[in-house]
Amino acid sequence: MKQESRLLTFVQNLTLLLEDGPSEKIIFSEGKKLLEELISVDDWLPEPFTKPHPEYYQQYLLYADPLNRFSVVSFVWGPNQKTPVHNHTVWGMIGQLRGQERGTNYYLQKDGSYQAGESSICLPGQVETVSPDTHDIHVVENHSSDQTSISIHVYGGNIGRIERSVFDPRSGLQKLFISGYANAFTPNLWHTAS
């Protein structure tokens, strides 16, 4: 398969899957297989969407469904970079393309604070899921102190335009944000404005 065809094939197959409005269980079962296929080969992601920033992780939009059913995003992490404690508000699948990432779920406590749970490491080829229906609040970080990590995220909406929250783990206070994307606009398959 040609390099540029891998993402297109994934987008087409996921679009077909989502056309009948499947349950989240089916999305995570069948969609996960599609994402595993996409990340099984690491030769398709164009170099401009693999560049880390020296201070913080980058979120590059690869595709946004014109009906806002899903978006595909590459997350690029420099050494030791991580997110704050945050949520998504929509289902999501995270496929590890390069490097390793550590995910840590956070749990609301009776006093309103958030307590970290156990961490897990996502290796190349593996897919993790998030959902408001199961668990949606976590921190993700590059597990490496000396190399870039890249993961491909698929969300049940245009994640760069969705109002979400970051949380102060000690106080539980939340702050609303809209993440946007590092690539503001590129009119092709790698970024379709909706």
Side-chain angles (χ1 to χ4, degrees), residues 5 12 29 41 49 64 78-79 87 96 109 115 123 126 136 142-143 155 160 167:
S5 298
Q12 289 170 335
S29 170
V41 178
F49 304 104
N87 68 0
Q96 195 65 39
Q109 305 299 297
Q115 180 69 40
L123 304 173
Q126 293 180 330
D136 192 39
N142 187 344
H143 187 56
Y155 294 105
F167 302 88

Side-chain angles (χ1 to χ4, degrees), residues 16 59 63-64 70 72 76 83 90 113 135 149 157 163-164 166 181:
L16 290 172
Q59 183 173 309
Y63 179 80
F70 69 98
V72 183
V76 182
T83 68
V90 294
S113 66
H135 195 76
S149 177
E163 187 173 75
R164 304 186 284 146
V166 293
Y181 299 104

Side-chain angles (χ1 to χ4, degrees), residues 20-126:
D20 294 329
S23 68
E24 192 171 275
K25 182 177 179 181
I26 291 172
I27 293 169
F28 284 164
S29 170
E30 299 304 312
K32 187 175 178 180
K33 291 175 190 173
L34 296 174
L35 184 54
E36 286 171 343
E37 175 73 21
L38 177 65
I39 63 171
S40 68
V41 178
D42 182 8
D43 68 354
W44 58 269
L45 186 62
E47 192 265 336
F49 304 104
T50 66
K51 292 181 181 276
H53 186 279
E55 297 176 29
Y56 46 84
Y57 68 91
Q58 295 286 71
Q59 183 173 309
Y60 296 104
L61 180 61
L62 303 178
Y63 179 80
D65 176 70
L67 301 178
N68 280 324
R69 293 172 292 187
F70 69 98
S71 56
V72 183
V73 182
S74 69
F75 275 68
V76 182
W77 313 80
N80 298 315
Q81 291 177 350
K82 69 179 192 175
T83 68
V85 178
H86 68 283
N87 68 0
H88 308 87
T89 75
V90 294
W91 60 260
M93 297 182 290
I94 300 114
Q96 195 65 39
L97 186 66
R98 297 179 196 163
Q100 300 177 10
E101 293 170 16
R102 176 186 297 128
T104 306
N105 287 336
Y106 276 72
Y107 299 93
L108 181 62
Q109 305 299 297
K110 289 181 181 178
D111 66 1
S113 66
Y114 285 86
Q115 180 69 40
E118 289 191 29
S119 295
S120 62
I121 305 299
C122 197
L123 304 173
Q126 293 180 330

